[in-house]
Amino acid sequence: MKKLMNDPEQIVTGFLEGLVAANREQLQRLEDTDVITRRVLKPQKVGIVSGGGSGHEPAHAGYVGAGMLDAAVAGEVFTSPGADQFLSAIQAVDQGEGVLLLVKNYNGDVMNVEMAQEMAEAEGISTEMVIINDDVAVSDVKQRRGIAGTVLVQKITGALAETGASLKEVKRVAEKTVNQTRSMSVALTPCTLPAVGQPSFDLADEEMEVGIGIHGERGVDRREVVTSEEIAKLLLDHILEEIPEQMPLALLVNGMGSTPLIEQYVLANDTIKQLEKKDRDVQHAFVGEYMTSLDMAGISLTLLALDEELSGYLQAPVQTVQWKQ
Amino acid sequence: MKKLMNDPEQIVTGFLEGLVAANREQLQRLEDTDVITRRVLKPQKVGIVSGGGSGHEPAHAGYVGAGMLDAAVAGEVFTSPGADQFLSAIQAVDQGEGVLLLVKNYNGDVMNVEMAQEMAEAEGISTEMVIINDDVAVSDVKQRRGIAGTVLVQKITGALAETGASLKEVKRVAEKTVNQTRSMSVALTPCTLPAVGQPSFDLADEEMEVGIGIHGERGVDRREVVTSEEIAKLLLDHILEEIPEQMPLALLVNGMGSTPLIEQYVLANDTIKQLEKKDRDVQHAFVGEYMTSLDMAGISLTLLALDEELSGYLQAPVQTVQWKQ
Amino acid sequence: MNVEQAKQWLRQTSARLSEHKDELSTLDHALGDGDHGVNMHRGFQAVVEGLDEWEDLSLSSLMQKVGSTLVSKVGGAAGPLYGTAFMRMGAAWKGIEQVNGSAWSEGLSKAVEGIAQRGKTSTGDGTLLDVWSPVAEAFTEGEPSWDNIESAAYKGMEATEEMVVKKGRGALLGEQSVGHIDPGAVSSYYLFQELANTMKAGEQ
Amino acid sequence: MNVEQAKQWLRQTSARLSEHKDELSTLDHALGDGDHGVNMHRGFQAVVEGLDEWEDLSLSSLMQKVGSTLVSKVGGAAGPLYGTAFMRMGAAWKGIEQVNGSAWSEGLSKAVEGIAQRGKTSTGDGTLLDVWSPVAEAFTEGEPSWDNIESAAYKGMEATEEMVVKKGRGALLGEQSVGHIDPGAVSSYYLFQELANTMKAGEQ
Ligand SMILES: Nc1ncnc2c1ncn2[C@@H]1O[C@H](COP(=O)(O)OP(=O)(O)O)[C@@H](O)[C@H]1O
Ligand SMILES: Nc1ncnc2c1ncn2[C@@H]1O[C@H](COP(=O)(O)OP(=O)(O)O)[C@@H](O)[C@H]1O
Ligand SMILES: [Mg+2]
Ligand SMILES: [Mg+2]
Ligand SMILES: [Mg+2]
Ligand SMILES: [Mg+2]
């Protein structure tokens, strides 16, 4: 394992410090926490907080800024941050209008956020949680993980909150977005945890792992590596099953951490072509590293079924480190 | 070798098609070429063209748009595009004000651009070329390669051209930027050409290659992998030798293709800390994949010595696929 | 159990978990994401570091402090679960400086309630609750039999091997989760074994 | 050489380069970026594909067409160099349908001039010019001796092994470039060997 790092235990700290050092006018780190917030909050606005284990950079701290998150909470690599950290974030961004927590569907994240909500409630802060579970690779819907689709929910919810909408309204739109978002992934290589130094699973030279999550866990199927065209088809077949026909789409092609952009766009090309062949209208396409899994090579596809409301918030301006438009 | 691709010979085409498909309102591909241009040119403006071999994505097509390039010319992987392609780009973006070509210092690129300039001249189009050679790893200054610093030259030059400046003026500022930009890189792994399937060099598990270029060529020194702090120091020591004292700086921390963002920011953190310890004023810091070398793991550091003029154009708005601000 | 014994228990547990760090992570590699050992080690190390600072706390406050430290430092799923368990014990032992007889059973059943609520889980789901729940039942009204308690923990842990995991990352595996002991059950077993060891040492 | 012989020459060169594709790339791996074989193969394949379309061209126009095709399809450094060489030969042979005696030497020395200008290089820099230049000199005023020409090409190619490369990617290696034959010199040798083969076959 070769990584640009110092002490493996300090990799999250290094990331957070680096992010703030490179973006001082925009971001700050709350003292004694791994919480990143906007340096200046927009007044009288519902706070939008997300977070979870690290290793998914730029998620989530890279999405803190006008039009998206107010705060991001970073845990150890692949480990949910404790409730106390979520509470610090809630306290920091609440302006009396309440706080919405956008949480990927992992047991640990949900439990820590629920605890934080209870503590916040005791302080008179109203909070709501919306759980994101876009990964169709998991058949049991209750167990479905939140993966790259998360960033689309964050984008849309953040844009709405920026308009001064109420906590209730923001929650409604976040849930609607979750309901209309589906993703699935494929890995060409496993990832290696900095503190462990061993790949999270073994994969032969000609194999790929289908239906992986973002924590180095094994997928649902292993098979020979196929072409980009075939990977696009494989993932789309699963995802489209759960996307209403006719509705226009937003597409997110997400690199898992060490897949070069040239390959991401090759896959994007095949995906868009296949969607157009099926007469699907791809209104927006995003390609890049949005939700990674350390140094995993691979890709996820996300489709979001759009209506005018969601499309509008998706197109709204955003000024974060990693997503600007 | 596992890559998301179809026919390895078609990877550049797949990239260009994907880029345009995902950004239809903004970009177009000139028919029968591998030239990407803005869909709508800003009238009465000097055209800014860059290009070179592929494998460095998002460079250069990802930088076509308002405030940066008018056209980008893509060759085969690591191979300069032919003069005819540069000519097509020149013809497409010339509006009577002339065209500036920003070229990384490679023999093939320079020769092809010179041929294209001669052909353009025969058609009455005035052109100028500025050669970028920021890589301090090469001691012979004439042989110095253009690497990640190229994108800072493109950003600044593009911003100036957007104001309606003359070809002469745009060339002056481009050259000034080149003179004040220095970079150096380190690789943790080699890259693998899609059509070759073999790593461009061998590197043992605990080794890194110092002073590599962006074409998979071997570097100037091979040694044991060290910490991010030590890598930052090693590269800065070389680069700072050629950066005037006192002047404020722009820093670019550039991932080489398969280095995760978390690691890029760890290195950014160490770099900024060390610069601040030396009382250097880091006015702007950019972190991400700006100029890659296929799937190479590694990083380059670039410093640009700023004056007010350059700082202004660096901060100016830009709307390309990959760089928006 | 008095405050000093509680601290002794926590110190021994921390040492035990650190010894078994890799074992726990390996178990978690099969069912989850391979970090349970690292998480528990980090959390209990923070507890032990805290013990010196928390010198003058009551037993109840100490348990609360341990709970919130575990939430904060273990993180993941185990953090809120262990944390809630300790906080609930702390709440149950308000004003009690020496845990005896019914206080044990009261404290443990509150802890079990807390885990079940927090984890939205019940026994048989193949989690650490399958250790905590039989342990709580093994505390009867009278003075605890530490051998019984230890063996209840052991059996509970062993039983998770045959269960289809219903909660946590292991649940993603469905039927394929059968055949693996739950890492949280194992760390809980170590916790209770060290409790028994501490208390038995005190009895001598 | 008439148009038909020129076409024959190009076809044979293309076949030869495609046979030696990997060898040329391997040579380029040592001094450059390992793609010279791929580049030349791609370029000459495009030339051969073009030959059928360019049926009615004069020899001069054919050479120009070959040149621009090589610029476009070889790309890299070799593209503009080979391309310029062919375009300059085409220009020198304007109105000539059969290259003989002084036309050979005129065409080749224009090609050498073109390469030197385009590459800002001179003989001894360890590039393909070190083949083209002695070949041009081997064309005297009279009818060419194809054996002399072939051996001039061969010697020029061999000589690059001992040179410190001054131009192109190999120049980055400085002194370490000594001991490697220049790939562009090798592809040029094949080109001239096939020219000799073609012309000698025509003489019989
Ligand atoms: N919902 C739940 N209810 C009860 N126990 C759970 C639940 N989810 C997880 N666990 C316990 O937590 C353990 C995993 O802890 P750990 O690996 O530290 O956290 P994570 O799963 O976040 O990586 C499991 O072995 C299981 O015993
Ligand atoms: N400036 C130059 N002058 C003459 N020949 C050159 C020059 N630069 C490169 N060459 C020739 O080109 C060959 C390399 O061609 P190729 O590998 O196809 O291009 P690239 O270097 O762009 O990858 C070298 O072996 C050398 O013979
Ligand atoms: Mg975990
Ligand atoms: Mg090349
Ligand atoms: Mg775990
Ligand atoms: Mg080459």
Side-chain angles (χ1 to χ4, degrees):
Chain A
M1 174 194 59
K2 290 189 266 194
K3 288 186 194 286
L4 294 170
M5 62 178 180
N6 302 300
D7 176 0
E9 309 285 342
Q10 293 297 315
I11 193 168
V12 175
T13 305
F15 170 75
L16 296 174
E17 283 183 5
L19 186 72
V20 172
N23 300 281
R24 285 236 174 77
E25 319 79 58
Q26 194 170 354
L27 298 179
Q28 62 185 2
R29 181 168 171 201
L30 294 188
E31 223 176 305
D32 293 329
T33 71
D34 290 339
V35 177
I36 303 292
T37 73
R38 301 192 200 180
R39 189 163 278 286
V40 181
L41 295 178
K42 183 169 176 183
Q44 290 191 303
K45 172 187 160 309
V46 168
I48 309 289
V49 172
S50 195
S54 291
H56 311 302
E57 294 66 26
H60 298 277
Y63 301 121
V64 173
M68 214 160 159
L69 305 180
D70 293 284
V73 187
E76 299 288 327
V77 173
F78 295 172
T79 304
S80 171
D84 53 322
Q85 302 235 33
F86 281 107
L87 180 63
S88 301
I90 293 169
Q91 289 166 332
V93 306
D94 178 56
Q95 305 187 74
E97 310 293 324
V99 175
L100 180 72
L101 292 125
L102 296 172
V103 182
K104 304 194 292 302
N105 191 26
Y106 299 97
N107 214 17
D109 292 297
V110 172
M111 287 192 278
N112 280 298
V113 168
E114 282 174 348
M115 285 189 87
Q117 288 186 279
E118 291 163 19
M119 301 182 218
E121 199 184 341
E123 299 183 12
I125 305 177
S126 14
T127 64
E128 293 284 354
M129 169 170 65
V130 170
I131 297 177
I132 300 155
N133 60 347
D134 51 319
D135 186 0
V136 300
V138 180
S139 46
D140 178 355
V141 176
K142 268 197 239 148
Q143 300 292 345
R144 280 189 175 174
R145 303 168 286 211
I147 57 174
T150 303
V151 301
L152 300 179
V153 180
Q154 293 170 342
K155 168 70 185 78
I156 287 171
T157 308
L160 171 57
E162 213 74 21
T163 67
S166 70
L167 180 55
K168 198 176 144 204
E169 173 68 357
V170 171
K171 184 186 179 198
R172 178 187 69 77
V173 171
E175 282 176 342
K176 178 167 129 182
T177 311
V178 170
N179 286 334
Q180 296 180 196
T181 303
R182 296 290 186 282
S183 307
M184 191 163 155
S185 324
V186 118
L188 300 187
T189 71
C191 59
T192 299
L193 275 101
V196 176
Q198 294 298 320
S200 58
F201 51 82
D202 292 316
L203 205 50
D205 250 9
E206 67 293 343
E207 281 178 344
M208 65 182 192
E209 184 90 17
V210 183
I212 43 119
I214 53 173
H215 297 100
E217 60 272 56
R218 291 214 31 188
V220 295
D221 186 19
R222 173 170 294 196
R223 53 173 86 179
E224 223 179 297
V225 182
V226 293
T227 62
S228 164
E229 277 174 17
E230 288 164 302
I231 291 175
K233 180 172 183 329
L234 173 72
L235 298 180
L236 281 181
D237 280 352
H238 279 94
I239 297 169
L240 281 173
E241 259 177 40
E242 303 191 16
I243 294 283
E245 282 180 34
Q246 310 299 343
M247 289 175 84
L249 302 173
L251 165 69
L252 170 62
V253 177
N254 172 60
M256 296 302 288
S258 75
T259 288
L261 205 60
I262 188 172
E263 299 179 35
Q264 295 175 35
Y265 271 104
V266 167
L267 191 94
N269 187 40
D270 293 321
T271 307
I272 294 173
K273 270 193 196 154
Q274 291 178 27
L275 286 168
E276 287 176 348
K277 224 178 207 159
K278 289 182 203 289
D279 279 326
R280 300 300 311 238
D281 173 19
V282 182
Q283 290 197 342
H284 310 283
F286 304 94
V287 183
E289 298 192 331
Y290 285 82
M291 174 76 72
T292 61
S293 185
L294 292 171
D295 56 355
M296 177 175 274
I299 202 105
S300 66
L301 291 186
T302 301
L303 291 180
L304 162 60
L306 292 168
D307 57 20
E308 267 179 46
E309 184 177 42
L310 300 191
S311 184
Y313 295 124
L314 192 56
Q315 286 176 78
V318 57
Q319 277 294 333
T320 70
V321 171
Q322 212 61 28
W323 193 336
K324 294 192 173 80
Q325 76 187 22
Chain B
M1 176 195 55
K2 292 190 266 193
K3 288 186 192 289
L4 293 171
M5 63 178 179
N6 303 300
D7 176 1
E9 309 285 342
Q10 294 298 314
I11 193 167
V12 176
T13 306
F15 170 76
L16 296 174
E17 284 184 4
L19 186 73
V20 171
N23 300 283
R24 285 234 174 79
E25 319 81 57
Q26 194 170 355
L27 298 179
Q28 62 185 1
R29 181 169 171 199
L30 293 187
E31 225 175 304
D32 294 328
T33 72
D34 290 338
V35 177
I36 303 291
T37 73
R38 301 191 199 182
R39 188 163 279 285
V40 181
L41 294 178
K42 183 167 176 184
Q44 290 192 301
K45 170 187 162 309
V46 168
I48 309 289
V49 171
S50 195
S54 291
H56 311 303
E57 294 66 25
H60 297 279
Y63 301 121
V64 173
M68 214 160 160
L69 305 180
D70 293 285
V73 187
E76 299 288 328
V77 173
F78 294 172
T79 304
S80 172
D84 54 322
Q85 301 237 33
F86 282 106
L87 179 64
S88 302
I90 292 169
Q91 291 166 332
V93 307
D94 177 56
Q95 305 186 75
E97 310 292 327
V99 175
L100 180 72
L101 292 124
L102 296 173
V103 182
K104 303 193 291 303
N105 190 26
Y106 299 97
N107 213 15
D109 291 296
V110 172
M111 288 192 276
N112 280 298
V113 167
E114 281 174 347
M115 284 190 89
Q117 288 186 280
E118 291 163 19
M119 302 182 220
E121 198 182 343
E123 299 183 13
I125 304 178
S126 14
T127 64
E128 292 284 357
M129 169 168 66
V130 170
I131 298 178
I132 300 155
N133 60 347
D134 51 319
D135 186 0
V136 299
V138 180
S139 46
D140 178 355
V141 175
K142 269 197 239 147
Q143 300 293 345
R144 279 191 177 175
R145 304 169 285 212
I147 57 173
T150 303
V151 301
L152 300 180
V153 180
Q154 293 171 341
K155 167 70 185 76
I156 287 171
T157 308
L160 170 58
E162 213 73 21
T163 67
S166 70
L167 180 55
K168 198 176 142 205
E169 171 69 358
V170 170
K171 186 186 176 199
R172 178 188 67 78
V173 170
E175 282 178 340
K176 176 167 133 184
T177 310
V178 170
N179 285 334
Q180 297 180 197
T181 302
R182 294 294 185 282
S183 306
M184 190 165 158
S185 323
V186 117
L188 301 187
T189 70
C191 59
T192 300
L193 275 101
V196 177
Q198 294 298 321
S200 59
F201 51 82
D202 291 317
L203 205 50
D205 250 8
E206 67 293 344
E207 280 177 345
M208 64 182 195
E209 184 90 15
V210 182
I212 43 122
I214 54 174
H215 297 98
E217 61 272 54
R218 290 212 33 187
V220 295
D221 185 20
R222 173 170 295 194
R223 52 173 86 179
E224 222 179 296
V225 182
V226 293
T227 62
S228 163
E229 277 173 17
E230 289 165 302
I231 291 174
K233 179 171 183 330
L234 173 70
L235 299 180
L236 282 181
D237 280 352
H238 280 94
I239 297 169
L240 282 173
E241 259 176 41
E242 303 192 16
I243 295 282
E245 281 181 36
Q246 308 299 341
M247 289 176 86
L249 303 173
L251 165 69
L252 170 61
V253 177
N254 172 59
M256 297 301 289
S258 75
T259 287
L261 204 60
I262 188 171
E263 297 179 36
Q264 295 175 35
Y265 272 105
V266 167
L267 192 93
N269 187 40
D270 292 322
T271 307
I272 295 173
K273 269 193 198 156
Q274 291 178 26
L275 285 169
E276 287 177 346
K277 223 178 209 161
K278 290 181 203 290
D279 279 325
R280 301 300 311 237
D281 173 19
V282 183
Q283 289 197 343
H284 309 283
F286 304 94
V287 183
E289 299 191 332
Y290 286 81
M291 176 75 73
T292 62
S293 184
L294 293 172
D295 56 355
M296 177 174 274
I299 201 106
S300 67
L301 291 187
T302 300
L303 290 180
L304 162 59
L306 292 169
D307 57 19
E308 264 178 48
E309 183 177 44
L310 301 191
S311 184
Y313 295 125
L314 192 57
Q315 286 175 78
V318 56
Q319 278 293 332
T320 70
V321 171
Q322 213 61 27
W323 193 336
K324 294 192 173 84
Q325 74 187 23
Chain C
M1 180 175 71
N2 58 28
V3 175
E4 283 318 310
Q5 285 173 311
K7 290 183 177 177
Q8 182 58 25
W9 170 33
L10 294 163
R11 286 205 173 88
Q12 284 182 204
T13 303
S14 173
R16 188 75 182 278
L17 290 173
S18 121
E19 237 170 75
H20 291 266
K21 188 171 111 177
D22 292 344
E23 179 206 343
L24 292 170
S25 288
T26 305
L27 290 171
D28 191 32
H29 201 78
L31 283 181
D33 59 351
D35 61 359
H36 187 61
V38 178
N39 294 345
M40 293 300 289
H41 170 70
R42 186 177 53 236
F44 272 85
Q45 214 172 18
V47 165
V48 168
E49 277 162 27
L51 287 181
D52 299 329
E53 283 175 42
W54 307 329
E55 259 193 10
D56 299 324
L57 294 188
S58 67
L59 178 65
S60 165
S61 305
L62 177 70
M63 292 286 120
Q64 304 259 20
K65 208 74 179 145
V66 170
S68 63
T69 303
L70 293 177
V71 170
S72 167
K73 298 298 178 185
V74 176
L81 293 166
Y82 272 99
T84 300
F86 273 86
M87 287 193 271
R88 293 291 171 98
M89 288 191 281
W93 294 340
K94 197 142 239 164
I96 295 178
E97 282 311 313
Q98 174 88 34
V99 186
N100 288 104
S102 63
W104 275 117
S105 114
E106 173 70 8
L108 265 294
S109 60
K110 289 292 180 203
V112 165
E113 220 179 275
I115 292 172
Q117 275 172 12
R118 180 63 60 216
K120 303 194 182 77
T121 187
S122 44
T123 52
D125 284 355
T127 71
L128 51 81
L129 187 67
D130 289 305
V131 170
W132 284 75
S133 178
V135 163
E137 280 164 26
F139 283 101
T140 51
E141 290 301 290
E143 281 315 296
S145 150
W146 295 110
D147 288 342
N148 283 354
I149 283 153
E150 196 183 323
S151 93
Y154 187 79
K155 283 187 203 143
M157 169 190 79
E158 273 209 321
T160 62
E161 186 166 356
E162 296 311 316
M163 294 178 187
V164 177
V165 178
K166 299 265 171 52
K167 291 289 167 183
R169 296 181 193 274
L172 285 168
L173 299 178
E175 297 286 334
Q176 291 184 6
S177 62
V178 175
H180 298 282
I181 296 193
D182 176 65
V186 177
S187 59
S188 297
Y189 165 64
Y190 292 144
L191 177 86
F192 289 116
Q193 205 185 28
E194 292 307 333
L195 175 62
N197 289 343
T198 309
M199 297 310 293
K200 284 196 276 191
E203 280 165 11
Q204 284 155 8
Chain D
M1 179 174 73
N2 58 26
V3 175
E4 283 319 308
Q5 285 172 310
K7 289 184 176 175
Q8 183 59 24
W9 169 33
L10 294 164
R11 284 205 175 87
Q12 282 180 208
T13 303
S14 174
R16 187 75 182 279
L17 290 173
S18 122
E19 237 170 74
H20 290 269
K21 188 172 112 179
D22 292 345
E23 179 205 343
L24 292 169
S25 288
T26 305
L27 289 172
D28 192 32
H29 201 78
L31 282 181
D33 59 351
D35 61 0
H36 187 61
V38 178
N39 294 344
M40 293 301 289
H41 170 72
R42 185 177 53 237
F44 272 84
Q45 215 173 18
V47 166
V48 168
E49 278 162 25
L51 287 181
D52 301 328
E53 285 173 42
W54 308 329
E55 261 192 10
D56 300 325
L57 293 188
S58 67
L59 179 64
S60 166
S61 305
L62 177 70
M63 291 287 119
Q64 304 258 18
K65 208 71 178 147
V66 169
S68 64
T69 302
L70 292 178
V71 171
S72 168
K73 298 298 179 186
V74 176
L81 293 166
Y82 273 99
T84 300
F86 274 87
M87 289 192 271
R88 295 288 172 99
M89 288 191 280
W93 295 340
K94 197 140 242 167
I96 296 179
E97 282 311 310
Q98 174 90 32
V99 186
N100 287 105
S102 64
W104 274 118
S105 116
E106 173 71 7
L108 264 293
S109 60
K110 289 290 181 205
V112 164
E113 220 178 275
I115 292 172
Q117 277 171 10
R118 181 63 61 218
K120 303 193 183 78
T121 186
S122 44
T123 52
D125 285 354
T127 72
L128 50 79
L129 187 66
D130 290 304
V131 170
W132 283 74
S133 178
V135 163
E137 281 163 24
F139 284 100
T140 50
E141 290 301 292
E143 280 317 294
S145 150
W146 295 110
D147 287 340
N148 282 355
I149 283 152
E150 197 183 323
S151 92
Y154 185 80
K155 282 188 205 142
M157 168 189 80
E158 273 207 321
T160 63
E161 186 167 356
E162 296 311 316
M163 293 177 186
V164 177
V165 178
K166 297 264 170 54
K167 291 287 168 184
R169 297 181 192 275
L172 285 169
L173 299 178
E175 296 288 333
Q176 293 186 3
S177 62
V178 174
H180 299 282
I181 296 192
D182 176 63
V186 177
S187 59
S188 297
Y189 165 64
Y190 293 144
L191 177 85
F192 289 115
Q193 204 184 28
E194 292 307 333
L195 174 62
N197 290 343
T198 309
M199 298 310 293
K200 286 195 275 189
E203 280 165 12
Q204 283 155 8

